[in-house]
Amino acid sequence: MFKIFLKFIVNKFFKNLLNFFLKKNNIVILFRSGSAIGDHVYMSSIVREISTKLNKKIILFTNYYEFFINNPRIYKLFRIKKKNILWFFLNNMCCETILEFRSIHKDINNKHFLYYHKKKQIHLAQAMSEHFNLNIDYEDLRNEIFFSTKEIIMYEKKINLPKKFAVIHSSSKSNYTNNKEWKVEGMQKIVKYFDKINWLQLGIESDPKLSNCTHLLNLNFRELAYVISKCDFLITYEGLFNHIASCFNKKNFLIHLGFLPVEAFNYKNNIVIERNKYLECYPCFSLDCESHKKLIKNYFDEKFVIESIEKNLENI
């Protein structure tokens, strides 16, 4: 009962007043709270568009505060946790100038929320922000992270990186869906075939370990981004590493199994490895799909992936 009353007070007396103040001062408040780190990474591309092309001051509330440290596009930066009082106020004052970076649709019927957008072949960043009613340019999305000089010096000392190396990971995040992942054995065969490359495996301690790799696991977020900023190229699935690679325009061999349309996470630095013409349901949007298992078994073999990488390596 108290929450209902408080919500009424917020909407009746505060929202319009705050919206007027923000519009007058050319300020936009963005907020996002959630466990998916990649969502916060590609939110930086929208922050970039709003700040540089729309020339608005951005106040950002996020639970992944560390990603946006040193970002010159941000006017004010605050840490937020979901379900606290600040979240309650922001969530109930959404308007022209107070905007939640989140799709207006939810995952239902075992389908990814992108399935419910009228235009399904769009980037995830667009799906999360097209309700903003801002004239955002989605044609040149590029994520950003900024390091201070002090940070770079610290990471150079702390993380002893080779002069030349490539980044790989053995598995993708699977607690949401398994339909993004190829196979550990395939990643291992890539490492074995390209044995002259200095491979560095990133991820977490529980990931399957690839042999003939240097393992840098359980790095914090900014350390992870720093390592990716220094690599020659990456081999990844759709997910966090792909979004971070965009920040530094690093060539990324993106193994794509058709869970979402490639437009959902593609950047200009990607070299997409896919055989979606063989996938009956592409893009299926399904969190659990048997067609993906058939694709891997019948068409997505190690030879195809290795040949796709090899023919593009000379341009890197």
Side-chain angles (χ1 to χ4, degrees):
M1 190 68 182
F2 175 74
K3 278 190 175 181
I4 296 173
F5 174 73
L6 189 57
K7 185 175 180 179
F8 171 79
I9 295 297
V10 166
N11 278 279
K12 188 73 174 176
F13 298 104
F14 292 107
K15 184 161 74 172
N16 289 339
L17 184 63
L18 183 55
N19 185 44
F20 174 79
F21 171 81
L22 293 172
K23 284 177 71 175
K24 187 176 180 180
N25 290 277
N26 202 33
I27 295 172
V28 168
I29 292 178
L30 296 182
F31 65 102
R32 169 74 190 183
S33 180
S35 60
I37 309 176
D39 295 356
H40 299 257
V41 178
Y42 60 73
M43 181 168 66
S44 69
S45 65
I46 302 302
V47 167
R48 173 177 170 263
E49 291 295 321
I50 294 173
S51 173
T52 60
K53 295 184 182 177
L54 303 182
N55 197 31
K56 293 186 180 294
K57 298 175 184 176
I58 297 174
I59 298 175
L60 179 65
F61 294 86
T62 170
N63 60 315
Y64 282 103
Y65 174 96
E66 60 271 26
F67 179 78
F68 295 94
I69 294 171
N70 301 322
N71 190 322
R73 323 288 188 202
I74 309 288
Y75 177 58
K76 296 288 182 182
L77 176 63
F78 298 97
R79 194 187 302 274
I80 190 174
K81 289 185 179 180
K82 204 167 184 178
K83 296 183 179 178
N84 66 10
I85 189 65
L86 181 56
W87 174 265
F88 174 85
F89 275 99
L90 289 172
N91 206 40
N92 284 285
M93 288 197 293
C94 286
C95 56
E96 292 176 79
T97 55
I98 303 175
L99 305 163
E100 182 180 9
F101 186 75
R102 182 180 297 275
S103 170
I104 59 174
H105 301 285
K106 295 182 179 179
D107 298 345
I108 56 175
N109 298 324
N110 207 36
K111 294 283 190 181
H112 186 276
F113 67 80
L114 198 58
Y115 176 80
Y116 300 98
H117 282 260
K118 290 181 179 179
K119 188 178 178 183
K120 298 173 185 176
Q121 294 186 344
I122 57 176
H123 197 281
L124 287 163
Q126 181 173 350
M128 295 282 199
S129 63
E130 61 183 358
H131 59 285
F132 286 3
N133 291 321
L134 296 172
N135 189 24
I136 296 173
D137 179 9
Y138 295 105
E139 295 302 314
D140 185 29
L141 294 178
R142 189 169 70 251
N143 306 326
E144 296 182 311
I145 185 170
F146 297 88
F147 298 110
S148 67
T149 303
K150 185 178 179 181
E151 267 188 297
I152 292 171
I153 293 170
M154 178 180 68
Y155 295 146
E156 284 176 348
K157 291 179 180 179
K158 182 179 180 180
I159 309 170
N160 187 23
L161 294 174
K163 288 185 178 179
K164 293 184 70 62
F165 66 94
V167 162
I168 195 167
H169 58 157
S170 62
S171 60
S172 68
K173 180 181 176 181
S174 59
N175 60 342
Y176 178 64
T177 178
N178 287 314
N179 287 345
K180 297 179 182 181
E181 186 165 326
W182 182 37
K183 51 187 175 181
V184 175
E185 301 91 336
M187 292 301 209
Q188 184 62 72
K189 287 191 177 181
I190 291 172
V191 171
K192 183 178 180 181
Y193 184 86
F194 297 102
D195 58 355
K196 298 294 189 292
I197 292 173
N198 200 353
W199 292 102
L200 201 157
Q201 180 183 342
L202 298 180
I204 58 176
E205 191 62 40
S206 59
D207 288 346
K209 308 296 190 302
L210 301 175
S211 59
N212 299 318
C213 285
T214 299
H215 302 110
L216 267 182
L217 307 173
N218 290 350
L219 298 176
N220 68 42
F221 183 83
R222 293 185 72 80
E223 290 171 343
L224 180 71
Y226 170 77
V227 172
I228 290 175
S229 76
K230 295 297 181 181
C231 76
D232 295 319
F233 65 92
L234 306 88
I235 296 177
T236 74
Y237 298 117
E238 183 271 308
L240 176 62
F241 292 179
N242 176 51
H243 298 304
I244 295 177
S246 165
C247 297
F248 310 105
N249 200 32
K250 292 292 179 178
K251 287 297 180 187
N252 180 27
F253 291 93
L254 180 63
I255 296 175
H256 176 39
L257 299 178
F259 167 55
L260 296 178
V262 69
E263 291 85 358
F265 44 77
N266 198 16
Y267 302 98
K268 291 182 178 180
N269 57 296
N270 287 149
I271 298 169
V272 181
I273 300 173
E274 55 87 16
R275 276 191 159 177
N276 292 318
K277 64 182 179 181
Y278 297 108
L279 188 59
E280 297 171 4
C281 58
Y282 175 74
C284 75
F285 302 101
S286 177
L287 303 183
D288 184 22
C289 179
E290 288 296 322
S291 292
H292 288 80
K293 296 173 185 176
K294 292 178 185 177
L295 175 69
I296 292 171
K297 183 178 178 181
N298 297 326
Y299 303 109
F300 221 90
D301 56 42
E302 293 92 338
K303 183 174 182 290
F304 164 70
V305 175
I306 287 170
E307 286 178 352
S308 299
I309 295 169
E310 192 167 37
K311 71 182 181 182
N312 285 286
L313 268 182
E314 59 186 42
N315 298 322
I316 297 177

